[in-house]
Amino acid sequence: MSKSRVNLVRRGDGVLVEATLVDGVEPSDLIVVERAWTAVRARLIGRLRAASVPRSEWPESWHWNWEQKAPQLQLLAARGFGILSEEDWQGLILLKTAPYVAHIEQDRGRPLVYVDYLEVAPWNWRIPALGEEGQYKGIGSILFREAVNLSFQEGFHGRIGLHALPQAETFYENACGMTAIGRDSKKQNLIYFEFSREQAQKFLQKGGDS
């Protein structure tokens, strides 16, 4: 496990808040995360139900359970990153370095880093229907940047692949600049996105702060 300093942006006033980026999240950390996030997630879902907000407007990761994902971190090809601030986990990303390969013609068949899961803590969710803006922003961009960095470290030249939840499609296509390959019937018909090596370089050059 290694740690480094990062800054989050507090939505209320735009103030930068120091946080810790953890490279090497452990299975035990995911158990802690789920226990901390469950109660907050449940309260928000309760409010959404009480307000008769359509399911299409709920945060799409509301049913995820990080404790159930803990065994995946025991795999050699798995890697977890997380952000800690004020003694709370603010966001997590789970990556796989095998057996996924690129679909973009330039690097077709070559290995890439696959983003299996990326989520911010429920108190950071932006839920317009409830007037919730979330406590911190920038978490997803920081974690995604680490996925790109890992791809370079593995010798994959920044190649990244992922299946995006519908609410995240704009972030990956417009903010990150990924290529939409198409819908994948084997993954709930989600759109599959990839970074070419050029797109990865461009993302890092602009700071990945979108």
Side-chain angles (χ1 to χ4, degrees), residues 14-33:
V15 169
L16 294 179
V17 177
E18 186 174 310
T20 301
L21 174 67
V22 178
D23 174 358
V25 172
E26 303 282 350
S28 58
D29 295 322
L30 299 192
I31 296 173
V32 171
V33 164

Side-chain angles (χ1 to χ4, degrees), residues 55-103:
R55 285 286 183 98
S56 60
E57 297 180 29
W58 292 19
E60 291 170 323
S61 62
W62 69 270
H63 61 286
W64 286 6
N65 184 310
W66 282 92
E67 184 172 355
Q68 292 177 356
K69 307 180 196 312
Q72 297 186 43
L73 287 177
Q74 298 173 346
L75 302 174
L76 290 176
R79 185 90 161 262
F81 291 82
I83 295 176
L84 275 169
S85 178
E86 299 177 349
E87 301 183 354
D88 287 319
W89 290 97
Q90 303 294 335
L92 292 169
I93 189 169
L94 179 59
L95 308 171
K96 301 285 182 60
T97 57
Y100 302 92
V101 297
H103 292 73

Side-chain angles (χ1 to χ4, degrees), residues 41-58:
R41 187 188 294 127
R43 285 198 296 271
L44 288 170
I45 296 306
R47 289 176 59 194
L48 287 165
R49 286 197 174 102
S52 299
V53 176
R55 285 286 183 98
S56 60
E57 297 180 29
W58 292 19

Side-chain angles (χ1 to χ4, degrees), residues 110-128:
R110 294 181 178 178
L112 52 69
V113 169
Y114 181 76
V115 179
D116 211 353
Y117 297 100
L118 169 59
E119 187 180 25
V120 301
W123 51 81
N124 293 316
W125 287 352
R126 186 174 179 274
I127 311 176

